Amino acid sequence: MISVTTPSLENGVIIEYKGIVTGEVVAGINFLKDFGASIRNIVGGRSAGYEEEIIAAKNDAIREMETRAAQMGANAVVGVKVDYESFGNAGMVMVIATGTAVVVKNK
């Protein structure tokens, strides 16, 4: 399964549109990573713990979207967009991957 942010594939022709497909993940940031990020807010620097959690959640959301696309009979997803939302002080992040499930034939 290939997923791209573009509306088409360079080496393929879209022969069928299956519909909009999404993948959602809500991930919690554990206490130690949250504490480390709080310290970095004071002294400056990047929070590797948060970055790792967000990257993992993004990858999971894309994988979930691709699984749903395959269940619809698609072999690609075009126009992919990934959105992030945090839940205030709850230490939670929601990641949503959205795209259009399509059937692509190679040129």
Side-chain angles (χ1 to χ4, degrees):
M1 176 76 59
I2 185 167
S3 296
V4 297
T5 58
T6 56
S8 62
L9 293 169
E10 186 174 314
N11 293 322
V13 175
I14 296 172
I15 59 172
E16 186 178 356
Y17 290 87
K18 295 292 190 174
I20 295 172
V21 65
T22 62
E24 305 86 6
V25 171
V26 177
I29 308 298
N30 73 37
F31 173 74
L32 291 176
K33 290 180 182 177
D34 196 32
F35 179 73
S38 297
I39 298 298
R40 281 188 185 76
N41 281 341
I42 296 168
V43 299
R46 294 172 61 170
S47 173
Y50 271 144
E51 289 174 3
E52 290 169 6
E53 291 290 337
I54 290 172
I55 289 167
K58 176 201 63 157
N59 291 338
D60 289 346
I62 291 171
R63 203 168 17 257
E64 174 85 17
M65 178 192 65
E66 290 174 341
T67 298
R68 290 179 180 166
Q71 291 169 347
M72 296 168 71
N75 63 357
V77 182
V78 296
V80 174
K81 182 177 182 205
V82 179
D83 290 311
Y84 301 86
E85 185 69 39
S86 65
F87 293 105
N89 294 332
M92 305 290 282
V93 63
M94 178 173 63
V95 182
I96 302 171
T98 306
T100 302
V102 297
V103 176
V104 175
K105 179 179 145 188
N106 289 336
K107 288 183 178 179

